[in-house]
Tab-separated table of all heavy atoms in Angstrom:
chain	number	residue	atom	x	y	z
A	15	VAL	N	38.294	179.858	-141.161
A	15	VAL	CA	39.422	179.685	-140.252
A	15	VAL	C	39.251	178.382	-139.413
A	15	VAL	O	40.207	177.688	-139.202
A	15	VAL	CB	39.517	180.915	-139.302
A	15	VAL	CG1	40.506	180.643	-138.161
A	15	VAL	CG2	39.947	182.116	-140.080
A	16	ASN	N	38.055	178.108	-139.085
A	16	ASN	CA	37.813	176.913	-138.222
A	16	ASN	C	37.444	175.663	-139.076
A	16	ASN	O	37.130	174.648	-138.480
A	16	ASN	CB	36.673	177.196	-137.210
A	16	ASN	CG	37.132	178.232	-136.223
A	16	ASN	OD1	37.985	177.978	-135.356
A	16	ASN	ND2	36.553	179.410	-136.264
A	17	GLY	N	37.458	175.779	-140.315
A	17	GLY	CA	37.205	174.611	-141.193
A	17	GLY	C	35.798	174.148	-141.164
A	17	GLY	O	35.495	172.976	-141.290
A	18	ILE	N	34.896	175.082	-140.918
A	18	ILE	CA	33.477	174.728	-140.849
A	18	ILE	C	32.827	174.861	-142.252
A	18	ILE	O	32.945	175.890	-142.902
A	18	ILE	CB	32.712	175.639	-139.841
A	18	ILE	CG1	33.180	175.369	-138.432
A	18	ILE	CG2	31.182	175.460	-139.961
A	18	ILE	CD1	32.687	176.347	-137.419
A	19	SER	N	32.264	173.752	-142.730
A	19	SER	CA	31.796	173.791	-144.102
A	19	SER	C	30.305	174.156	-144.156
A	19	SER	O	29.814	174.696	-145.131
A	19	SER	CB	31.996	172.428	-144.741
A	19	SER	OG	31.456	171.405	-143.981
A	20	ARG	N	29.582	173.835	-143.084
A	20	ARG	CA	28.169	174.130	-143.063
A	20	ARG	C	27.813	174.804	-141.718
A	20	ARG	O	28.046	174.236	-140.690
A	20	ARG	CB	27.321	172.902	-143.265
A	20	ARG	CG	25.897	173.211	-143.672
A	20	ARG	CD	25.000	171.983	-143.572
A	20	ARG	NE	24.622	171.643	-142.183
A	20	ARG	CZ	24.501	170.461	-141.711
A	20	ARG	NH1	24.645	169.399	-142.490
A	20	ARG	NH2	24.139	170.263	-140.460
A	21	ILE	N	27.274	175.997	-141.791
A	21	ILE	CA	26.932	176.711	-140.584
A	21	ILE	C	25.472	176.484	-140.213
A	21	ILE	O	24.582	176.638	-141.026
A	21	ILE	CB	27.202	178.205	-140.776
A	21	ILE	CG1	28.653	178.495	-141.086
A	21	ILE	CG2	26.783	179.036	-139.555
A	21	ILE	CD1	28.941	179.810	-141.747
A	22	ASP	N	25.270	176.013	-138.989
A	22	ASP	CA	23.887	175.771	-138.531
A	22	ASP	C	23.234	176.859	-137.784
A	22	ASP	O	22.073	177.074	-137.769
A	22	ASP	CB	23.924	174.523	-137.652
A	22	ASP	CG	24.236	173.225	-138.402
A	22	ASP	OD1	23.883	173.199	-139.646
A	22	ASP	OD2	24.831	172.308	-137.849
A	23	LYS	N	24.140	177.578	-137.037
A	23	LYS	CA	23.588	178.665	-136.153
A	23	LYS	C	24.547	179.814	-135.986
A	23	LYS	O	25.770	179.559	-135.858
A	23	LYS	CB	23.263	178.013	-134.787
A	23	LYS	CG	22.274	178.774	-134.035
A	23	LYS	CD	21.886	177.962	-132.788
A	23	LYS	CE	20.977	178.747	-131.829
A	23	LYS	NZ	20.876	178.062	-130.561
A	24	VAL	N	23.999	180.967	-135.995
A	24	VAL	CA	24.815	182.148	-135.836
A	24	VAL	C	24.227	182.937	-134.641
A	24	VAL	O	23.051	183.204	-134.542
A	24	VAL	CB	24.807	183.082	-137.057
A	24	VAL	CG1	25.640	184.343	-136.873
A	24	VAL	CG2	25.277	182.349	-138.296
A	25	ASN	N	25.135	183.271	-133.645
A	25	ASN	CA	24.740	183.995	-132.483
A	25	ASN	C	25.329	185.407	-132.558
A	25	ASN	O	26.538	185.563	-132.583
A	25	ASN	CB	25.187	183.319	-131.172
A	25	ASN	CG	24.617	181.876	-131.101
A	25	ASN	OD1	23.451	181.671	-131.168
A	25	ASN	ND2	25.506	180.945	-130.844
A	26	VAL	N	24.441	186.361	-132.615
A	26	VAL	CA	24.870	187.770	-132.815
A	26	VAL	C	24.483	188.570	-131.636
A	26	VAL	O	23.401	188.341	-131.043
A	26	VAL	CB	24.199	188.333	-134.098
A	26	VAL	CG1	24.518	189.809	-134.266
A	26	VAL	CG2	24.692	187.563	-135.339
A	27	VAL	N	25.324	189.500	-131.264
A	27	VAL	CA	24.981	190.438	-130.203
A	27	VAL	C	24.832	191.811	-130.806
A	27	VAL	O	25.676	192.284	-131.554
A	27	VAL	CB	26.108	190.514	-129.109
A	27	VAL	CG1	25.785	191.558	-128.013
A	27	VAL	CG2	26.223	189.113	-128.465
A	28	ILE	N	23.711	192.492	-130.530
A	28	ILE	CA	23.471	193.825	-131.081
A	28	ILE	C	23.293	194.796	-129.884
A	28	ILE	O	22.405	194.582	-128.991
A	28	ILE	CB	22.192	193.868	-131.947
A	28	ILE	CG1	22.357	192.812	-133.134
A	28	ILE	CG2	21.961	195.280	-132.450
A	28	ILE	CD1	21.109	192.777	-133.955
A	29	GLY	N	24.122	195.792	-129.859
A	29	GLY	CA	23.959	196.820	-128.840
A	29	GLY	C	22.724	197.622	-128.987
A	29	GLY	O	22.366	198.001	-130.098
A	30	GLU	N	22.090	197.939	-127.861
A	30	GLU	CA	20.814	198.666	-127.951
A	30	GLU	C	20.924	200.093	-128.485
A	30	GLU	O	20.003	200.618	-129.060
A	30	GLU	CB	20.164	198.741	-126.523
A	30	GLU	CG	19.520	197.420	-126.139
A	30	GLU	CD	18.666	197.536	-124.879
A	30	GLU	OE1	18.868	198.511	-124.113
A	30	GLU	OE2	17.865	196.624	-124.663
A	31	TYR	N	22.138	200.614	-128.327
A	31	TYR	CA	22.364	202.004	-128.837
A	31	TYR	C	22.215	202.062	-130.353
A	31	TYR	O	21.894	203.097	-130.889
A	31	TYR	CB	23.786	202.430	-128.424
A	31	TYR	CG	24.071	203.895	-128.718
A	31	TYR	CD1	23.559	204.887	-127.965
A	31	TYR	CD2	24.943	204.241	-129.841
A	31	TYR	CE1	23.814	206.213	-128.243
A	31	TYR	CE2	25.191	205.541	-130.104
A	31	TYR	CZ	24.606	206.562	-129.334
A	31	TYR	OH	24.903	207.833	-129.655
A	32	LEU	N	22.433	200.980	-131.034
A	32	LEU	CA	22.315	200.934	-132.509
A	32	LEU	C	20.899	200.990	-132.945
A	32	LEU	O	20.611	201.340	-134.115
A	32	LEU	CB	22.973	199.656	-133.058
A	32	LEU	CG	24.450	199.496	-132.808
A	32	LEU	CD1	24.906	198.119	-133.269
A	32	LEU	CD2	25.216	200.556	-133.536
A	33	MET	N	19.973	200.734	-131.972
A	33	MET	CA	18.569	200.809	-132.251
A	33	MET	C	18.154	199.947	-133.514
A	33	MET	O	17.367	200.394	-134.347
A	33	MET	CB	18.093	202.257	-132.472
A	33	MET	CG	18.457	203.074	-131.238
A	33	MET	SD	17.361	204.449	-131.042
A	33	MET	CE	18.149	205.299	-129.661
A	34	VAL	N	18.705	198.765	-133.582
A	34	VAL	CA	18.366	197.861	-134.616
A	34	VAL	C	17.181	196.997	-134.152
A	34	VAL	O	17.339	196.413	-133.076
A	34	VAL	CB	19.597	196.998	-135.027
A	34	VAL	CG1	19.190	195.946	-136.055
A	34	VAL	CG2	20.687	197.873	-135.581
A	35	LYS	N	16.208	196.877	-134.943
A	35	LYS	CA	15.096	196.014	-134.559
A	35	LYS	C	15.514	194.564	-134.863
A	35	LYS	O	15.814	194.257	-136.005
A	35	LYS	CB	13.842	196.333	-135.382
A	35	LYS	CG	12.928	197.364	-134.747
A	35	LYS	CD	11.488	197.088	-135.085
A	35	LYS	CE	10.507	197.911	-134.340
A	35	LYS	NZ	10.347	199.248	-134.934
Side-chain angles (χ1 to χ4, degrees):
V15 169
N16 293 292
I18 293 171
S19 54
R20 197 192 77 213
I21 299 160
D22 291 330
K23 203 170 170 192
V24 179
N25 301 309
V26 174
V27 177
I28 302 177
E30 283 189 342
Y31 186 77
L32 297 173
M33 305 207 184
V34 174
K35 270 213 171 82

